[in-house]
């Protein structure tokens, strides 16, 4: 036999068991005494036995009522715990947020954004999937990531893009290089120097290829590095120079390299937040979205 009792019925039952009085229990429950009596009668009909022995002065649990009392206390505690967990999730204080991001954003923009986010959401678990632009877009489109931080994608039916900042490109060289001065330089400086390139599938490589095309330069790429650390080490070893966006500077700090703005043409990598179109973000994801947008504004002002 399946017994179906509602949380409201169990609450009324526990109030009556605690007070031993229909009038007091009805007052605690916020209902009339006849309404409470009907609730208990409905419960007894559902259970198939009396829950209380009633006298003119006292209401006491029957053996069936005692058994139900133990179950009702456990179920009510579990329900309250579940309701509390739901309330925390709705308030954005619990849950999990997955962010897919380009390595430069994952390493530079995300840490301060997550630190700010965790001040108000310390119990939210944040997972980071760092990878190239296509993998970021794929993770969001497939629902494996709530947010994606990457360059502006081509129009996509299932993705929505919000701009964060424009990341300007500059020349990167050793501090003892003749090019390690001040002020902007033209892209033509790469015409007679070895150019250390990023991997062909990277957003940085796409931008540098476009810059060379606009400047009418035929620059042979060397090495084709997948990681910024590799590029920095190669430049530090004196094997050539490179062009990288300003957001990568903190990652190059250990190598003592110099960054100088490039022009003719000026190249800016448009960075933003990608979400899945038509998908409602959980409150915690919305809060992290706001923290990332805030950090993007701070970075843009620098």
């Amino acid at each position: 036999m399946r017994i179906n009792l509602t949380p409201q019925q169990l609450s009324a039952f526990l109030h009556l068991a605690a007070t031993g009085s229909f009038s007091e229990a009805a007052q605690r429950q916020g209902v009339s005494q006849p309404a409470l009596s009907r609730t208990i009668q409905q419960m007894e009909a559902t259970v198939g036995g009396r829950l209380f022995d009633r006298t003119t002065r006292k209401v006491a649990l029957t053996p069936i009522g005692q058994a139900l009392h133990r179950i009702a206390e456990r179920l009510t505690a579990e329900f309250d715990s579940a309701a509390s967990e739901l309330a925390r999730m709705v308030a954005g204080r619990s849950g999990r947020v997955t962010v897919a991001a380009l390595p430069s954003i994952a390493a530079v923009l995300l840490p301060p954004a997550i630190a700010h986010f965790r001040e108000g959401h310390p119990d939210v678990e944040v997972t980071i999937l760092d990878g190239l632009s296509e993998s970021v877009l794929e993770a969001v489109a497939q629902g494996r990531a709530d947010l994606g931080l990457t360059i502006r994608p081509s129009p996509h039916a299932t993705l929505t893009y919000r701009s964060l900042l424009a990341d300007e490109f500059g020349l990167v060289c050793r501090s003892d290089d003749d090019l390690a001065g001040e002020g902007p330089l033209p892209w033509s400086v790469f015409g007679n120097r070895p150019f250390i390139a990023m991997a062909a599938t990277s957003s940085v490589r796409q931008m540098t290829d476009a810059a060379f095309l606009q400047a009418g330069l035929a620059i042979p790429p060397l090495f084709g590095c997948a990681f910024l650390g590799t590029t920095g080490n190669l430049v530090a070893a004196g094997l050539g120079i490179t062009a990288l966006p300003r957001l990568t500077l903190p990652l190059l700090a250990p190598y003592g390299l110099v960054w100088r703005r490039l022009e003719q043409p000026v190249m800016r990598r448009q960075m933003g937040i990608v979400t899945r179109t038509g998908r409602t973000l959980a409150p915690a994801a919305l809060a992290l979205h706001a923290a990332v947008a805030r950090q993007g504004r701070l970075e843009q002002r620098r």
Side-chain angles (χ1 to χ4, degrees), residues 13-32:
F13 169 80
L14 289 173
H15 278 135
L16 183 55
T19 62
S21 165
F22 271 91
S23 59
E24 187 176 346
Q27 186 176 3
R28 289 190 183 185
Q29 191 74 6
V31 298
S32 66

Side-chain angles (χ1 to χ4, degrees), residues 12-267:
F13 169 80
L14 289 173
H15 278 135
L16 183 55
T19 62
S21 165
F22 271 91
S23 59
E24 187 176 346
Q27 186 176 3
R28 289 190 183 185
Q29 191 74 6
V31 298
S32 66
Q33 187 171 329
L36 177 62
S37 296
R38 286 195 298 272
T39 296
I40 299 302
Q41 290 169 1
Q42 290 168 357
M43 293 180 68
E44 289 177 333
T46 299
V47 171
R50 292 182 65 84
L51 299 176
F52 294 95
D53 286 327
R54 304 164 177 83
T55 67
T56 55
R57 294 186 176 182
K58 186 178 181 181
V59 175
L61 288 168
T62 65
I64 294 177
Q66 291 173 357
L68 177 60
H69 189 270
R70 292 190 295 271
I71 297 170
E73 285 188 319
R74 185 175 72 249
L75 291 176
T76 300
E78 290 175 354
F79 180 82
D80 289 344
S81 176
S84 176
E85 182 179 345
L86 177 61
R88 286 174 58 79
M89 193 280 288
V90 170
R93 296 195 303 270
S94 68
R96 174 187 297 177
V97 183
T98 300
V99 184
L102 292 179
S104 57
I105 302 183
V108 177
L109 191 69
L110 264 184
I114 292 175
H116 178 75
F117 167 78
R118 287 184 65 82
E119 290 177 4
H121 308 81
D123 297 326
V124 175
E125 179 184 347
V126 179
T127 301
I128 301 173
L129 307 176
D130 52 354
L132 299 180
S133 182
E134 286 302 317
S135 68
V136 171
L137 298 177
E138 186 178 272
V140 177
Q142 293 179 353
R144 292 186 288 109
D146 302 290
L147 309 175
L149 306 180
T150 185
I151 60 172
R152 182 190 296 275
S154 57
H156 200 295
T158 61
L159 297 176
T160 300
Y161 172 85
R162 174 186 173 182
S163 181
L164 272 181
L165 55 87
D167 197 11
E168 193 168 20
F169 273 72
L171 174 138
V172 176
C173 63
R174 287 168 43 138
S175 59
D176 59 357
D177 194 295
D178 292 340
L179 296 173
E182 296 182 359
L185 291 169
W187 283 82
S188 59
V189 298
F190 295 101
N192 54 10
R193 296 287 298 273
F195 176 69
I196 299 173
M198 295 295 292
T201 54
S202 70
S203 61
V204 170
R205 176 66 175 277
Q206 294 169 16
M207 294 292 291
T208 56
D209 284 352
F212 291 141
L213 183 63
Q214 291 183 44
L217 300 170
I219 306 296
L222 299 178
F223 305 114
C225 308
F227 301 100
L228 285 167
T230 305
T231 303
N233 270 312
L234 291 172
V235 175
L239 295 174
I241 57 177
T242 191
L244 293 171
R246 186 181 60 83
L247 199 61
T248 64
L249 287 181
L251 304 178
L252 302 175
Y255 311 108
L257 303 178
V258 172
W259 184 92
R260 291 184 66 179
R261 180 174 174 269
L262 285 164
E263 59 183 14
Q264 301 176 34
V266 173
M267 299 297 291

Side-chain angles (χ1 to χ4, degrees), residues 97 117 147 280-291:
V97 183
F117 167 78
L147 309 175
T280 301
L281 291 176
L286 283 172
L288 183 55
H289 186 294

